[in-house]
């Protein structure tokens, strides 16, 4: 049975691949942002990446407004992106020009409205404690994302996450296990194995996940299988038997 | 059933529904209380995501086999049936003939469970998840326990949706995603601690939980601190260990 999540993700992947092929460009965060805008009918899309805890940098913005909104949040130190990175959940703001929004972000919200934004939807790109960045969609008209659009937006975020993880693990973008979208607990073992590798190699959780994914890619095995081997203690990452 | 204990549980659960509410901690507490109050050996709470797929959020003991059993790799089972029908689904003897979900039943037996009940988490006409109750011995759960179990499932539903009266799919998107990420952090932390301290997953979870309680901190925050290296595994058991690489 192909789950609905898997089919949304496959659809989104296909859209991005088509856009890359049509413009004769390699797969990239930029192509993904452009495809998100084209398919979801939003004004713009921005991917930010976290270089260090609390330090976020714009990787790509499809329009100047998006770049401005990302920059504003860095400047004033608050906003939906800051919140999303902090607690790992989406922050969906259908209208920035309401009392609730203005109270929640007293510095950011008025400036965002002044810049011309009306709605902002930030989806964190994270795997548990591994925080890679955010995908943010904005609109110049207020209003919610409907259920289907939100589901697609989450699928785009899943794919953006995969691209950032691939980059981190040093494997070709979107070249790894297509079943791996990082997020759902399809397989708790992947996250369990990440924790174990982090302890075995005495490295950070983010590096541990990159090592696990790189290993799966190098061995041409599904990530799940490599993780299951680690959890069952058939495979141990260590200086002795883990060739880099 | 001990009425006073039951009353205390509802007061305790209501008490956690504050502004600063931590969904994953709340649901773990609820799973724990199910085991204490209902004469069951394990409890698990699963919530439906925006794709209507059930995701495991909390279990009573985090035993690895229970976690595996509750993940939705099976497109069959009592939890899914209760979710789809909105009605309770019970099987008092998973080893018996004619169990409608053979793959789930054999996995449950391997994990040490002989009977299961799945209660729907309902909000008006919508079903948002299921509460699964497992027992190691075959046999029916008493009507009394089932009623209390359903009341606890209803409390869980209220807990999930109490925060804001915004639209349902947004609650699901924001709350559930956050809870799922907390869940991933707990998996990461649990196994990091297990590896460092040489204990099993359930043992590592107990250590995390005990530390969170003793220090009045949220389970998710403690798990996050462990995974990001701010708190070491040795800190959790009160043994001063070597400082971790501060570059994390």
């Amino acid at each position: 049975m192909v789950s609905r999540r898997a089919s949304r993700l496959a659809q989104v992947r296909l859209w991005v691949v088509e856009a890359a092929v049509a413009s004769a460009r390699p797969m990239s965060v930029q192509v993904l942002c452009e495809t998100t805008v084209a398919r979801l009918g939003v004004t713009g899309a921005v991917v930010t990446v976290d270089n260090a805890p609390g330090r976020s940098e714009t990787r790509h913005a499809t329009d100047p407004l998006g770049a401005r909104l990302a920059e504003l949040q860095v400047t004033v130190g608050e906003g939906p992106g800051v919140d999303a990175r902090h607690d790992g959940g989406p922050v969906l703001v259908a209208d920035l020009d309401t009392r609730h929004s203005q109270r929640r972000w007293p510095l950011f919200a008025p400036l965002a409205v002044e810049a011309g934004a009306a709605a902002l939807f930030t989806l964190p790109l994270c795997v548990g404690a591994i925080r890679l960045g955010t995908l943010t969609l904005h609109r110049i008209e207020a209003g919610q994302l409907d259920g289907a659009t939100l589901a697609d937006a989450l699928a785009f975020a899943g794919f953006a996450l995969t691209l950032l993880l691939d980059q981190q693990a040093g494997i070709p973008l979107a070249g790894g296990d297509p079943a791996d979208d990082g997020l759902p607990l399809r397989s708790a073992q992947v996250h369990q194995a990440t924790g174990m590798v982090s302890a075995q190699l005495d490295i950070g959780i983010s590096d541990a996940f990159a090592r696990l994914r790189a290993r799966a890619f190098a061995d041409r095995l599904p990530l799940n299988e490599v993780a299951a081997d680690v959890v069952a203690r058939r495979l141990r990452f260590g200086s002795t038997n883990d060739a880099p | 059933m001990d009425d006073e204990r039951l009353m205390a549980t509802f007061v305790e659960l209501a008490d956690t529904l504050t502004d600063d509410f931590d969904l994953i901690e709340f649901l773990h507490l609820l799973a724990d209380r199910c085991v204490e109050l209902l004469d069951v050996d394990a409890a698990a709470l699963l919530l439906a995501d925006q794709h209507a797929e059930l995701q495991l959020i909390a279990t009573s003991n985090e035993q690895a086999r229970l976690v595996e059993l509750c993940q939705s790799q099976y497109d069959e089972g009592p939890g899914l049936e209760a979710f789809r029908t909105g009605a309770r689904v019970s099987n008092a003897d998973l080893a018996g003939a004619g169990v409608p979900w053979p793959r789930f039943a054999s996995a449950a037996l391997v994990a040490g469970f002989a009977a299961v009940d799945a209660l729907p988490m309902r909000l008006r006409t919508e079903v948002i998840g299921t509460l699964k109750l497992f027992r190691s011995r075959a046999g029916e759960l008493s009507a009394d326990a089932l009623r209390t179990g359903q009341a606890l499932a209803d409390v869980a539903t209220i807990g999930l949706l109490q925060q804001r009266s915004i639209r349902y799919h947004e609650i699901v998107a924001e709350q559930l995603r956050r809870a799922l990420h907390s869940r991933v952090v707990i998996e990461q932390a649990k196994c990091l601690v297990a590896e460092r301290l040489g204990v099993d997953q359930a043992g590592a979870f107990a250590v995390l939980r005990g530390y969170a309680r003793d220090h009045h901190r949220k389970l998710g925050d403690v798990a996050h601190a462990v995974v990001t290296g701010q708190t070491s595994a040795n800190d959790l058991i009160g043994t001063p260990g070597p400082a971790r690489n501060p570059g994390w």
Side-chain angles (χ1 to χ4, degrees):
Chain A
M1 185 178 94
V2 178
S3 72
R4 272 188 257 178
R5 177 205 319 288
S7 66
R8 285 325 297 156
L9 199 69
Q11 177 65 69
V12 155
R13 249 179 124 84
L14 188 66
W15 283 340
V16 180
V17 170
E18 278 173 4
V21 169
S23 59
R25 287 180 295 172
M27 184 76 81
S28 68
V29 167
Q30 181 178 348
V31 176
L32 179 134
C33 286
E34 290 168 6
T35 312
T36 308
V37 172
R39 295 287 177 176
L40 302 187
V42 291
T43 309
V46 178
V47 166
T48 65
V49 291
D50 293 3
N51 292 326
R55 290 225 354 242
S56 131
E57 190 182 285
T58 302
R59 173 63 61 86
H60 184 74
T62 58
D63 64 355
L65 175 57
R68 171 87 182 123
L69 293 171
E71 179 199 296
L72 265 177
Q73 298 191 55
V74 173
T75 311
V76 300
E78 63 169 37
V82 177
D83 292 359
R85 268 199 305 281
H86 181 258
D87 61 24
V91 178
L92 310 172
V93 191
D95 191 350
L96 285 161
D97 200 8
T98 61
R99 243 178 45 209
H100 179 260
S101 300
Q102 304 269 335
R103 246 203 322 252
R104 189 166 173 192
W105 304 289
L107 300 173
F108 171 75
L111 291 169
V113 171
E114 199 183 294
L120 198 61
F121 310 98
T122 299
L123 312 173
L125 309 178
C126 58
V127 187
I130 305 167
R131 304 280 151 94
L132 288 115
T134 59
L135 168 66
T136 299
L137 317 176
H138 59 269
R139 276 181 172 160
I140 52 169
E141 275 167 23
Q144 321 254 10
L145 288 179
D146 64 61
T149 309
L150 178 61
D152 280 347
L154 289 166
F156 272 110
F159 193 41
L161 173 68
T162 306
L163 294 184
L164 296 185
L165 287 169
D166 285 347
Q167 218 154 43
Q168 200 180 43
I171 62 185
L173 294 194
D177 181 359
D180 162 34
D181 62 349
L183 218 197
L185 272 173
R186 299 262 112 216
S187 163
Q189 287 189 331
V190 169
H191 311 301
Q192 293 168 355
T194 307
M196 289 173 70
V197 170
S198 168
Q200 286 168 5
L201 295 175
D202 201 13
I203 56 177
I205 197 78
S206 174
D207 291 338
F209 194 42
R211 289 289 287 268
L212 201 62
R213 295 180 90 250
R215 177 70 177 246
F217 180 76
D219 291 352
R220 301 264 175 257
L221 287 171
L223 184 58
N224 260 340
E225 271 180 40
V226 177
D229 282 347
V230 172
V231 172
R233 302 187 182 284
R234 290 186 293 265
L235 171 65
R236 196 183 157 79
F237 281 64
S239 40
T240 48
N241 58 1
D242 172 44
Chain B
M1 193 167 310
D2 181 344
D3 281 348
E4 268 178 38
R5 186 80 192 83
L6 188 59
M7 192 63 83
T9 296
F10 282 112
V11 170
E12 175 189 37
L13 289 169
D15 219 35
T16 60
L17 299 177
T18 57
D19 283 350
D20 183 26
F21 162 82
D22 181 359
L23 179 62
I24 200 156
E25 175 60 41
F26 171 76
L27 295 180
H28 271 101
L29 178 70
L30 201 123
D32 275 0
R33 294 298 175 263
C34 285
V35 170
E36 289 168 21
L37 292 167
L38 303 181
D39 188 29
V40 298
D41 297 292
L45 278 143
L46 293 92
L47 298 179
D49 64 15
Q50 75 275 6
H51 302 278
E53 287 178 30
L54 290 175
Q55 302 280 346
L56 176 68
I57 303 291
T59 67
S60 53
N61 69 7
E62 295 292 309
Q63 179 205 9
R65 279 175 166 173
L66 176 63
V67 172
E68 285 303 305
L69 179 65
C70 287
Q71 267 157 20
S72 40
Q73 73 260 45
Y74 305 104
D75 47 357
E76 59 167 44
L80 211 57
E81 205 176 308
F83 172 65
R84 285 184 182 149
T85 60
R88 172 170 65 89
V89 175
S90 299
N91 192 289
D93 184 10
L94 289 166
V99 177
W101 336 277
R103 283 191 306 145
F104 171 84
S106 59
L109 290 166
V110 168
F113 302 116
V116 64
D117 293 272
L119 309 175
M121 290 171 63
R122 259 191 322 249
L123 178 77
R124 293 184 285 273
T125 56
E126 204 143 17
V127 186
I128 65 163
T130 53
L131 167 63
K132 285 207 243 183
L133 306 170
F134 295 94
R135 274 158 296 134
S136 53
R137 286 192 190 167
E140 307 268 344
L141 201 57
S142 74
D144 208 16
L146 284 173
R147 255 198 315 276
T148 307
Q150 187 62 56
L152 288 165
D154 293 343
V155 169
T157 308
I158 295 163
L160 179 61
L161 300 176
Q162 60 91 31
Q163 279 190 309
R164 277 165 290 166
S165 52
I166 51 174
R167 292 203 336 225
Y168 175 70
H169 81 256
E170 294 197 338
I171 300 172
V172 171
E174 294 195 1
Q175 288 263 48
L176 185 56
R177 285 270 156 159
R178 204 172 297 135
L180 280 172
H181 274 293
S182 303
R183 176 78 218 156
V184 172
V185 180
I186 287 169
E187 295 291 354
Q188 291 166 341
K190 197 170 65 174
C191 291
L192 192 154
V193 171
E195 190 73 8
R196 289 241 186 250
L197 301 182
V199 295
D200 67 8
Q201 289 188 29
F205 181 69
V207 167
L208 282 164
R209 200 104 200 256
Y211 183 88
R213 277 186 188 155
D214 291 349
H215 293 77
H216 306 289
R217 291 178 59 187
K218 289 179 181 173
L219 175 62
D221 291 347
V222 171
H224 195 268
V226 167
V227 172
T228 52
Q230 292 149 4
T231 302
S232 78
N234 284 317
D235 292 339
L236 297 178
I237 52 168
T239 316
R244 300 276 284 279
N245 179 355
W248 285 20

